[in-house]
Structure formats: C-alpha cells, structure tokens
C-alpha cells in the first residue's frame, strides 16, 4: 500500500505503483497494463474504473523505465509537409486516434515540402524513440531511406500508391485522379488549359498530377504548353499569382486545373478581383475537397481525397508491423471527382451540338490502379 500522506500533502506519482491501481479497482495488474497500452481489448466499464483510480491516486507510468525493460517505446512518428492545410490535419487526427486506441503515441513534425528537412525531422523522431514512420509521397532523401534500412525501422508512404515498389504505400494513383479532371473538362468542350501546381522538384505527387493531365489531353490531340504550367507555393497567394501568370499568356485558358484546393481558392479570389465570371468566362477545378470547397461561390469542382482513411490505414500498418502481425504492404484507396458549379462548358462550346447548353452529363465511374475513381455531382 502507498504510504499515508500528511493532510494537504499531494501524492507522489512516483510512489504509486501499477499494483496500487489494480488493488483499488479490484483487478489484476495485467488488466491495468492492457487498459493503458491496448485499451480496445479491455471492457469499457473496467477501463473507466481504472482511469478513475489512476486520476484519484495520481499514478503516472514510467515510460522510460518501461522502454528499457521491453525495448519498446510504442511510439510512431509522422513527417508531413505542413499543418497549415486541413487535409494534413485530418490525416494526423485519424493517425492519432488509431494509435491511441492501441496504446501507441504519435509524434508529428513537418517538412515544409523539403526532402532535406524531411530527412532531418525523421532522424529527430527516430532519436526520440519512434519505432516506425509515416511519410508523405514517394520521393525521399537517400540518407533517410538508408537510415531506416540500417535501423530496420518500418515506414509507409501516404498520398501515393505504388504496388510494385519495395516501399510500402497507402493512397491513390495521383496520375489517374488528375487525368479524370482533364477528361471531364475536355468532354465539356475545353481545349485551352492552364495548370497551377506546387513545385515539381522532389515532389512525385505534383509530377504525377501534371502527367495525368498532360497525357490525357495529348491523347485527344490537345497540347499543354510548358508556359501553361505554372508552379507556385501551396498558398492562396500562390493561386492568385499563378492565375495572373496564366492570364498574361496567349492563348488564354478557358479552364484552369489546380494541384490543390488552396491554390484553387486563390485563383477564384483573383477572378473575383478581376471581375472574371466563374464558370461563364473561366472554369476552375481543385484537388483535395477541403471543407471550404463546397462553400465557395461558386462551389468548387475538385477531387475528394480520402485523407482520414489514409491516416487510419497508415497507423494500422505500422502497428501491425511493430507487433509482428501480418499486414498488406500496399493499400489502394478511392478518389472521387466532385462536380460543383465552378466548371461548365466554355462559351464557344455552349451552342455547339456536341455539348448542348444546360445538358446534364451522367456521372460515370472509371477504375484506376489505386481502386475506383468516381464522379459525383453535388
């Protein structure tokens, strides 16, 4: 039993043992331990009583001692590009929830879309005891992959799906997802396109999304000039600047495809500033389906990315690897093309017989290498 305290004296958390909590609840120490490390396997009523006893007694786990004893920290790390965008915050939240439900902790840091910074931050996480890592994209510094191989630390790439790669992945085919936007706009009658994207250097997602658009349009005999592909920082100002650059060129686009919703938001704002009517004078499409996309005026046509499921699957993969359980190395996820009011046939095509004005095209689905990619009108 813990030593009696003088009146007004706070309990010493270090003096309270796991057995004290178990004695107070009336269960075994192993049950208390499971409630802390694998809460999902413990009855909810028992788990509630255990946490009440922990709060009452002031018990704190000595994780450092536990890690020395078991050689396990039960910690996973994640290096994501930024926390400024809601799409990545959603990924982190579901990773945190999945980890917490299984007695794991999550450490998060950011790379600012820089592979060298990703390498430095990943090394820091490993030094802090991360047993596995969640990364974004497929392109990493050679030093990072060498470190993880040398230390035998499992990792998984998100926002990409490459089943033939030796690196595990959970995500979608970026090329196929962006190809669907291009195909849809082509079918509406657009022939002059502009792209506003992030920086291609060391970013496989940007490259794949550009390739998906360019190759799809090329198959229809539409060439996208290099000048029509502008690279900007992932920000609203980047979207505004990108649209300004596109409008300075000739011929001017009738449709602009953005590599993210954030860039598309900026493009929409720039159109409003210039008095350009969307979609009557210019169609704009995004990528991600952030919450605000549906509330723009006009609402944004975009690709819905399954960020929440991606985070959950990534965490599950790492925990399975660390716990010695079988798990698929690659997991494909679906994307959906969400049709809203920011896209329409170009003015020149509205009177053409092949694209009647006001005609509602049926939603069609196509399957890509990363599962199904669907069209959905909202």
């Amino acid at each position: 039993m813990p030593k009696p305290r003088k009146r007004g004296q706070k309990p010493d958390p270090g003096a309270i043992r796991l057995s004290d909590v178990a004695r107070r609840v009336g269960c075994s120490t192993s049950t208390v331990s499971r409630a802390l490390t694998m809460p999902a396997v413990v009855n909810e009523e028992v788990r509630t009583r255990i946490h009440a006893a922990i709060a009452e007694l002031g018990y704190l786990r000595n994780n450092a001692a536990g890690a020395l004893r078991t050689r396990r920290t039960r910690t996973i790390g994640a290096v994501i590009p930024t926390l400024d965008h809601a799409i990545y915050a959603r990924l982190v939240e579901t990773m945190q929830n999945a980890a917490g439900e299984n007695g794991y902790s999550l450490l998060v840091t950011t790379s600012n879309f820089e592979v060298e910074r990703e390498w430095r931050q990943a090394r820091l996480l490993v030094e802090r005891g991360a047993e596995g890592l969640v990364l974004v994209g497929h392109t990493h510094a050679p030093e990072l992959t060498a470190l993880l191989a040398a230390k035998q630390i499992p990792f998984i790439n998100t926002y990409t799906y490459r089943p033939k790669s030796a690196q595990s992945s959970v995500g979608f085919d970026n090329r196929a997802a962006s190809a669907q936007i291009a195909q849809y706009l082509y079918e509406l009658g657009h022939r002059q396109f502009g792209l506003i994207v992030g920086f291609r250097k060391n970013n496989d997602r940007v490259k794949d999304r550009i390739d998906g658009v360019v190759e799809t349009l090329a198959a229809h005999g539409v060439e996208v000039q290099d000048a029509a592909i502008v690279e900007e920082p992932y920000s609203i100002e980047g979207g505004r600047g990108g649209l300004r650059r596109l409008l300075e060129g000739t011929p001017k686009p009738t449709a602009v495809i953005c590599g993210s919703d954030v860039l598309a938001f900026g493009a929409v704002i720039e159109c409003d500033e210039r008095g350009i009517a969307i979609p009557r004078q210019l169609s704009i499409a995004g990528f991600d389906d952030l919450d605000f996309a549906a509330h723009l005026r006009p609402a944004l046509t975009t690709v819905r990315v399954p960020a929440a499921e991606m985070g959950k699957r990534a965490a599950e993969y790492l925990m399975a690897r660390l716990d010695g359980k079988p798990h698929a190395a690659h997991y494909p996820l679906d994307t959906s093309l969400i049709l809203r009011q920011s896209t329409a046939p170009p003015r020149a095509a509205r009177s053409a017989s092949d694209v009647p004005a006001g005609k509602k095209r049926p939603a069609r689905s196509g399957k890509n290498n990363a599962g199904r990619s669907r069209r959905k009108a909202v």
Side-chain angles (χ1 to χ4, degrees):
M1 288 291 290
K3 295 180 180 179
R5 302 188 307 273
K6 296 180 181 179
R7 182 174 296 179
Q9 181 183 1
K10 293 183 178 180
D12 176 10
I16 305 298
R17 301 182 297 273
L18 201 70
S19 57
D20 299 324
V21 177
R23 191 175 299 110
R24 179 63 60 91
V25 176
C27 65
S28 66
T29 55
S30 60
T31 299
V32 177
S33 179
R34 282 194 296 271
L36 295 173
T37 58
M38 295 182 290
V41 305
V42 178
N43 177 275
E44 183 178 0
E45 186 271 333
V46 175
R47 197 167 66 238
T48 299
R49 290 195 289 118
I50 288 172
H51 284 293
I54 287 172
E56 181 183 351
L57 295 173
Y59 170 73
L60 290 175
R61 281 187 291 173
N62 188 338
N63 284 329
L68 286 173
R69 184 175 61 254
T70 64
R71 298 183 182 273
R72 293 290 310 278
T73 64
R74 298 192 70 83
T75 300
I76 58 177
V79 186
I80 62 172
T82 178
L83 283 172
D84 285 343
H85 300 171
I87 196 75
Y88 291 119
R90 193 175 302 158
L91 178 83
V92 169
E93 181 181 19
T94 53
M95 281 193 291
Q96 175 65 65
N97 291 341
E101 289 171 1
N102 291 276
Y104 277 83
S105 298
L106 176 68
L107 299 177
V108 180
T109 187
T110 60
S111 68
N112 196 30
F113 297 95
E114 300 171 8
V115 293
E116 289 302 320
R117 180 170 172 174
E118 179 192 51
W119 143 239
R120 294 194 302 270
Q121 295 300 314
R123 183 177 61 185
L124 182 64
L125 290 175
V126 172
E127 290 172 351
R128 295 292 186 273
E131 296 184 284
L133 292 181
V134 176
L135 304 174
V136 174
H138 203 83
T139 303
H140 311 293
E143 296 88 347
L144 173 54
T145 52
L147 168 72
L148 300 180
K151 298 293 184 181
Q152 296 185 327
I153 294 174
F155 70 98
I156 187 166
N157 296 326
T158 59
Y159 280 88
T160 182
Y161 175 69
R162 298 194 179 186
K164 295 181 181 180
S165 171
Q167 298 181 8
S168 298
S169 63
V170 55
F172 52 92
D173 186 330
N174 283 275
R175 189 182 302 237
S178 65
Q180 195 176 24
I181 303 176
Q183 180 67 29
Y184 170 68
L185 291 170
Y186 177 85
E187 291 175 2
L188 285 180
H190 292 279
R191 300 297 182 265
Q192 301 296 335
F193 290 84
L195 279 71
I196 307 175
V197 296
F199 297 111
R200 275 177 274 196
K201 183 180 179 181
N202 295 322
N203 192 319
D204 52 277
R205 286 96 62 213
V206 172
K207 292 177 183 176
D208 286 348
R209 292 176 195 181
I210 292 173
D211 290 346
V213 171
V214 171
E215 291 170 3
T216 298
L217 295 177
H220 294 295
V222 176
E223 182 181 1
V224 180
Q225 300 290 337
D226 289 343
I229 304 174
V230 298
E231 300 180 25
E232 292 282 347
Y234 279 118
S235 65
I236 288 177
E237 184 52 45
R240 296 192 66 172
L243 187 66
R244 287 194 294 267
R245 290 168 59 186
L246 287 176
L247 295 179
E248 289 170 358
T250 55
K252 290 181 174 53
T254 62
V256 173
I257 299 173
C258 298
S260 76
D261 282 355
V262 174
L263 291 171
F265 295 165
V268 170
I269 293 170
E270 186 65 22
C271 284
D272 183 66
E273 183 76 14
R274 291 169 173 258
I276 298 173
I278 304 172
R280 186 171 62 85
Q281 294 176 276
L282 183 66
S283 286
I284 295 179
F287 202 106
D288 286 333
D289 195 26
L290 300 180
D291 291 341
F292 193 62
H295 302 286
L296 281 181
R297 289 295 176 267
L300 185 67
T301 290
T302 185
V303 171
R304 179 170 294 165
V305 172
E309 185 177 4
M310 206 181 320
K312 179 175 181 290
R313 298 291 183 183
E316 288 176 345
Y317 167 82
L318 285 182
M319 291 185 294
R321 283 286 308 274
L322 295 170
D323 293 340
K325 299 177 181 178
H327 198 285
H330 300 277
Y331 197 97
L333 297 176
D334 295 343
T335 60
S336 300
L337 178 58
I338 307 300
L339 305 182
R340 298 193 179 105
Q341 290 73 49
S342 69
T343 51
R347 283 184 292 183
R350 286 176 192 154
S351 60
S353 59
D354 60 333
V355 187
K359 181 177 179 180
K360 191 173 183 180
R361 293 179 179 271
R364 294 184 296 175
S365 62
K367 194 168 185 178
N368 60 40
N369 290 334
R372 293 173 297 171
S373 182
R374 300 181 297 271
R375 292 184 183 179
K376 182 178 180 182
V378 295

